Amino acid sequence: MSGTARLSRVTVYSLLFVLLLASRPFTVLADDHLAAIKSSGVLAWGGDAEGGGPYSYPDPEHPEKIIGFEVELADALATRLGLKAKMVQNQWDQLIPALDRGSFDIILNGLERTPENQQHIAMSVPYFVYAQQIVTRKDTAGLDTVEKLKGKTVGALSGSASLKLLENTVGIDVKNYPGNVETLRDLKAGRIEAVVLDLPMAQFYAAPEPDLKFAGDSFAPGYYAVGVRKEDANLLASVNQALIEFTRDGTYERIYRKYNVWDGRQASLKDFKADAVVQKKAISTLREWPKYLPLLLKGATTTIKISVLAMALAVVAGLVLVLVRMYAIAPLRWLAQAYVEIIRGTPLLIQLFLIYYGLPEIGIKLNAFFAGILGLGLNYAANESENYRAGIQAIPRGQTEAAQALGMSQWQCLRHIILPQALKLVIPPVTNDFIAMFKDSSIVSVITMVELTKVYGMLAMSTYDYIGLGLMTAGIYFALSYPASLFANYLERKWSYDRR
Amino acid sequence: MIVVEKLIKSYNSNRVLHGVDHAQERGQAVVLIGPSGCGKSTFLRCLSQLEIADSGRITIDDVSIEGGRAPRNSIERERQRQLRMRAGMVFQQFNLFPHLTVLQNITEAPMVVKGVSREEAEEHAKMLLGKVGLAQKAESYPAQLSGGQQQRVAIARALAMQPQVMLFDEPTSALDPELRDEVLKVMRDLAEEGMTMIVVTHEMQFARDMADQVLFFEGGLVAESGPPEQIFGDAQNERTREFVSRSVRK
Ligand SMILES: Nc1ncnc2c1ncn2[C@@H]1O[C@H](COP(=O)(O)OP(=O)(O)O)[C@@H](O)[C@H]1O
Ligand SMILES: [Mg+2]
């Protein structure tokens, strides 16, 4: 009897313990996060200061200091919660996954309060009313509504509400950009006809440009709100409370007037009533692969085109480079050597930016496709020329002497004796570079090319299924590079003359 | 037919040839002997213009070149090419082209340098391969041949340019002893056909049998020259006698 009673008491305690453990993630942890923030004394907020005016941007006078209306708002918010604000720099279109990872506690960076964004994170009451603005060049007429943008090439910021709005309008050729500055630069360069962006950015970046103008009135208003992880319900409640107080005590008006973003619309912040957000089911792109795989494959064709053409350019240009470097007259030789050293000593990203955004300033305007091929190709040409050089130097001196003794000129010797042997030697390193090129080609997304990695990023941003899409994308990259290395092995075997 | 006058050659500040004189008639086989490092290879490399002499004059047949500087214009380059085509070089290390078949090794230079047609070049090459006893190896690659076979291909390759003189730089030194005779036999045949030759070798028996004239090189000069009977039997120079007796004992 007593044995049974003791046993049952142990069972009850164990059950209670298990329940306690199981309930932690739902209740205790949510409480704890606000508590953890409070005990640390720091409110970490995520934002992007690169091209982030007037939200958060480096002070032109003191570039080490980040200023902006959101910086001051973050300070006010933190103060209200008894904390100190600390900004964490993060690329804008990756703020939500970074919040998820725990890189910071809240997002405060022009994040639109849209149903899409609220699928994955919780959003506060709004702190700003934005609207969309069309910007064109001074000499462009008539593009003053979204309707009139049909048939035109129009740029917008990656992951923004403006982009979504353009993509939902049939017939617009939409280009998406990593930053505002690049978008407006391409508008000035004439690569695109118009840009749609949030009004504050338009006022900050486009209004001062003498060549650009606002086309039509601002439209499609929406709200910016603070983003919080879904489980941080208490943090959200505290943020909401603080923001509602800001509508009453004039904090918004004071800060926004300072940055010249106060307008009549902001007065409506205090009347905000939240709509219930309909939660959609989480998307599994792996299960729905027939819908997503073709989109990724379409991106992959761009990746293939760019990689193959850029590599073809690199292989040929690299050969010219190495011949000039090793056999031409002195000044040309130095030039080729300087080219190789400079290209290898500077980042590919900068080279691409110079080609795509820099060359138009001296009148050379390439579209993104050719700029991408040129940038990658010329970059890889430097590597290939070094591969060739190693190959040529690996050919024994006796080969040249034998050819010369037979009366061959330097060029005949190079063409018939040295290069055929050297080119076979460089198959493995050149193939390695070709495989690397498939992966490196993803960098052309920064100049608006939509290739495999970019498609992955865009789909992941809208589905939040980073893992499923990631597996599919990685699978495609592998399917591209594996045959390339098989082919190289085959060539090596086929062309080997020194094995019996 | 070959005249070398006061040939001087230095590597940096190290003078290797101190004014070599040499004259040779068409059809003569000359053997160069001498201690290692005395400049024998350098001498042959100057003749085939793989090295540019500091001064002196080299004449082969109707082409004559002064030392002093590398050719700088097309006329000088053409003259150098003419001289090179008149001298066929056979290297110690064969230096066959590994990416080409045996046949292609032989036809490449006539086609590229002289513009001979493929048919003509191949016909000539097959004849030469027969002569060096390798007719059945035309389609092999050098790596598939023994050292002795490779050196015979190298001889055929040099002959394909129809040179006036054949230069051999220790053609059997890189070979195992049992492979040397097949190469020496080819050279013997060539000499008997009347090919003009200069051979650097340590094969004293070969020198004794074949040479019309033997040059003993020492310290960058021809210390003694004469018919083989003199050099091997009755050398005038003390150092020659020493070298010969040491070499024969070996
Ligand atoms: N490319 C070179 N650079 C510098 N010195 C060299 C070079 N080739 C040969 N020598 C030197 O020249 C001398 C003669 O060399 P070589 O003609 O090869 O002699 P041999 O063939 O009689 O043994 C040697 O002392 C050698 O070290
Ligand atoms: Mg030597």
Side-chain angles (χ1 to χ4, degrees):
Chain A
M1 271 288 277
S2 70
T4 328
R6 247 203 10 236
L7 190 72
S8 65
R9 207 180 302 151
V10 169
T11 316
V12 169
Y13 283 141
S14 320
L15 268 174
L16 273 176
F17 184 67
V18 168
L19 274 176
L20 194 74
L21 275 184
S23 63
R24 274 177 69 90
F26 303 109
T27 56
V28 185
L29 197 69
D31 260 354
D32 259 7
H33 207 155
L34 181 59
I37 293 170
K38 290 237 154 140
S39 75
S40 78
V42 173
L43 180 67
W45 61 282
D48 189 355
E50 189 192 331
Y55 305 72
S56 58
Y57 59 103
D59 185 349
E61 243 107 87
H62 309 279
E64 71 286 354
K65 192 168 170 256
I66 305 295
I67 58 171
F69 74 86
E70 287 179 343
V71 176
E72 301 209 9
L73 188 59
D75 286 341
L77 178 61
T79 307
R80 191 63 57 102
L81 300 178
L83 302 166
K84 253 184 91 61
K86 187 186 115 205
M87 181 177 174
V88 177
Q89 166 65 34
N90 198 92
Q91 190 184 321
W92 190 77
D93 59 11
Q94 295 300 322
L95 282 169
I96 291 180
L99 175 70
D100 247 3
R101 274 199 308 273
S103 303
F104 33 76
D105 306 314
I106 62 170
I107 300 171
L108 205 171
N109 200 210
L111 192 64
E112 297 96 346
R113 197 175 194 284
T114 55
E116 288 78 21
N117 283 340
Q118 290 179 83
Q119 291 303 316
H120 210 63
I121 57 170
M123 297 202 75
S124 71
V125 298
Y127 63 81
F128 191 86
V129 186
Y130 71 91
Q132 299 296 326
Q133 180 62 55
I134 300 174
V135 175
T136 64
R137 288 184 296 278
K138 267 265 152 64
D139 53 15
T140 310
L143 301 184
D144 51 2
T145 65
V146 173
E147 203 54 31
K148 291 180 188 159
L149 294 178
K150 287 185 176 173
K152 302 279 186 258
T153 308
V154 183
L157 194 58
S158 170
S160 68
S162 324
L163 184 73
K164 188 125 213 138
L165 181 140
L166 289 173
E167 283 176 344
N168 289 343
T169 313
V170 180
I172 300 180
D173 177 17
V174 187
K175 289 209 144 203
N176 78 53
Y177 288 82
N180 289 309
V181 182
E182 292 84 4
T183 324
L184 292 172
R185 204 194 289 265
D186 257 12
L187 176 61
K188 279 193 282 180
R191 285 200 184 99
I192 52 179
E193 288 307 307
V195 170
V196 176
L197 71 178
D198 292 3
L199 187 57
M201 299 181 212
Q203 271 158 351
F204 191 85
Y205 288 107
E209 293 282 354
D211 306 337
L212 302 180
K213 68 172 182 195
F214 285 15
D217 293 331
S218 55
F219 60 100
Y223 294 117
Y224 292 146
V226 174
V228 179
R229 276 182 293 268
K230 278 200 165 151
E231 65 266 25
D232 284 345
N234 289 340
L235 176 60
L236 180 65
S238 310
V239 169
N240 277 341
Q241 194 185 341
L243 295 183
I244 289 165
E245 280 168 32
F246 289 164
T247 62
R248 300 201 193 105
D249 65 8
T251 302
Y252 283 144
E253 184 163 358
R254 175 175 58 79
I255 296 175
Y256 294 173
R257 276 194 192 286
K258 180 170 167 191
Y259 286 90
N260 206 18
V261 292
W262 179 264
D263 55 31
R265 289 191 177 111
Q266 308 309 328
S268 68
L269 281 173
K270 64 177 184 300
D271 308 322
F272 174 78
K273 290 274 176 297
D275 302 327
V277 174
V278 182
Q279 284 292 333
K280 289 189 208 135
K281 218 164 77 250
I283 298 170
S284 163
T285 56
L286 278 182
R287 214 167 295 142
E288 295 177 42
W289 66 268
K291 185 166 153 202
Y292 293 97
L293 193 59
L295 296 173
L296 290 169
L297 288 177
K298 188 152 173 284
T301 60
T302 306
T303 292
I304 294 172
K305 271 187 228 159
I306 290 188
S307 308
V308 169
L309 290 174
M311 199 63 198
L313 173 62
V315 163
V316 174
L319 189 58
V320 173
L321 263 179
V322 79
L323 293 183
V324 170
R325 179 168 179 183
M326 294 183 75
Y327 301 104
I329 54 168
L332 290 178
R333 219 162 53 214
W334 298 332
L335 269 181
Q337 184 167 355
Y339 176 87
V340 170
E341 297 305 332
I342 289 169
I343 290 287
R344 283 156 53 94
T346 54
L348 175 55
L349 185 68
I350 308 258
Q351 295 162 13
L352 264 187
F353 273 145
L354 283 176
I355 288 175
Y356 189 69
Y357 296 114
L359 285 187
E361 315 242 324
I362 56 167
I364 303 169
K365 199 168 71 193
L366 298 165
N367 68 27
F369 185 69
F370 285 112
I373 290 170
L374 195 67
L376 281 168
L378 292 183
N379 179 281
Y380 270 61
N383 292 335
E384 298 328 310
S385 84
E386 288 295 278
N387 284 336
Y388 292 142
R389 198 160 69 100
I392 289 172
Q393 284 172 344
I395 306 301
R397 172 125 197 87
Q399 292 289 304
T400 309
E401 293 185 345
Q404 284 177 344
L406 288 165
M408 289 193 201
S409 67
Q410 187 181 43
W411 169 247
Q412 288 168 336
C413 167
L414 199 60
R415 155 95 180 66
H416 296 279
I417 306 302
I418 304 302
L419 284 183
Q421 297 184 56
L423 293 183
K424 281 166 203 179
L425 283 181
V426 303
I427 292 172
V430 170
T431 317
N432 281 341
D433 281 356
F434 186 39
I435 290 167
M437 173 77 89
F438 276 124
K439 292 173 275 177
D440 269 2
S441 67
S442 67
I443 204 170
V444 298
S445 64
V446 300
I447 55 170
T448 76
M449 283 307 293
V450 180
E451 45 60 70
L452 182 50
T453 298
K454 185 71 187 179
V455 173
Y456 161 74
M458 288 175 358
L459 291 177
M461 222 184 288
S462 56
T463 61
Y464 295 104
D465 186 8
Y466 283 82
I467 294 172
L469 287 165
L471 289 174
M472 278 191 267
T473 307
I476 295 174
Y477 273 115
F478 181 72
L480 292 183
S481 54
Y482 190 57
S485 68
L486 285 184
F487 184 63
N489 287 346
Y490 163 78
L491 277 189
E492 238 184 302
R493 246 178 298 120
K494 185 176 165 215
W495 285 355
S496 73
Y497 40 75
D498 42 5
R499 256 160 265 159
R500 299 191 182 187
Chain B
M1 187 197 67
I2 301 174
V3 180
V4 178
E5 296 155 273
K6 297 200 175 54
L7 197 65
I8 295 179
K9 170 68 187 174
S10 318
Y11 294 108
N12 305 318
S13 60
N14 171 27
R15 182 167 287 193
V16 176
L17 300 182
H18 292 260
V20 176
D21 292 306
H22 174 64
Q24 182 171 350
E25 293 303 317
R26 191 180 296 277
Q28 271 195 324
V30 169
V31 169
L32 271 183
I33 59 172
S36 153
C38 68
K40 305 181 296 294
S41 296
T42 305
F43 180 66
L44 291 193
R45 292 168 62 81
C46 286
L47 289 186
S48 59
Q49 290 289 296
L50 294 175
E51 303 288 351
I52 306 299
D54 305 347
S55 66
R57 175 184 288 275
I58 297 164
T59 309
I60 299 178
D61 202 15
D62 54 341
V63 182
S64 189
I65 280 191
E66 290 259 10
R69 58 184 166 88
R72 274 193 299 209
N73 54 44
S74 55
I75 296 170
E76 289 177 1
R77 266 195 296 274
E78 175 58 22
R79 191 180 310 146
Q80 182 186 53
R81 198 174 70 102
Q82 289 298 333
L83 193 79
R84 277 177 174 163
M85 288 200 296
R86 277 160 179 71
M89 182 85 168
V90 176
F91 300 88
Q92 186 175 340
Q93 299 296 338
F94 332 137
N95 294 345
L96 289 182
F97 305 132
H99 63 301
L100 300 178
T101 63
V102 164
L103 193 70
Q104 290 166 336
N105 260 278
I106 301 170
T107 57
E108 192 74 359
M111 284 165 60
V112 167
V113 178
K114 286 185 167 173
V116 174
S117 74
R118 178 178 300 278
E119 300 76 56
E120 201 180 323
E122 287 187 350
E123 195 180 323
H124 188 205
K126 282 176 184 159
M127 189 273 283
L128 290 169
L129 275 177
K131 203 160 143 176
V132 300
L134 290 170
Q136 74 290 3
K137 295 287 185 189
E139 299 308 317
S140 304
Y141 282 91
Q144 297 167 313
L145 302 183
S146 73
Q149 291 171 328
Q150 290 191 51
Q151 192 61 299
R152 285 188 277 154
V153 173
I155 294 171
R157 177 177 71 177
L159 288 172
M161 291 298 285
Q162 299 178 305
Q164 303 289 322
V165 53
M166 285 287 284
L167 310 175
F168 295 86
D169 190 0
E170 302 197 29
T172 57
S173 296
L175 298 177
D176 294 337
E178 67 271 22
L179 297 178
R180 288 179 183 166
D181 283 342
E182 59 189 61
V183 174
L184 292 174
K185 170 167 185 309
V186 168
M187 293 166 64
R188 241 181 264 265
D189 292 348
L190 271 179
E192 265 153 31
E193 279 174 26
M195 173 57 80
T196 315
M197 302 168 46
I198 303 180
V199 183
V200 174
T201 186
H202 296 297
E203 301 282 344
M204 293 303 156
Q205 190 58 47
F206 175 83
R208 218 185 279 230
D209 296 349
M210 294 309 310
D212 297 306
Q213 195 189 14
V214 178
L215 305 189
F216 176 65
F217 248 62
E218 198 189 31
L221 279 172
V222 182
E224 182 170 359
S225 74
E229 304 79 56
Q230 175 192 329
I231 300 294
F232 293 108
D234 182 25
Q236 309 298 299
N237 186 316
E238 174 67 23
R239 303 277 296 121
T240 314
R241 269 202 299 279
E242 244 173 67
F243 177 81
V244 168
S245 69
R246 223 176 330 115
S247 303
V248 171
R249 240 185 295 123
K250 242 191 317 196

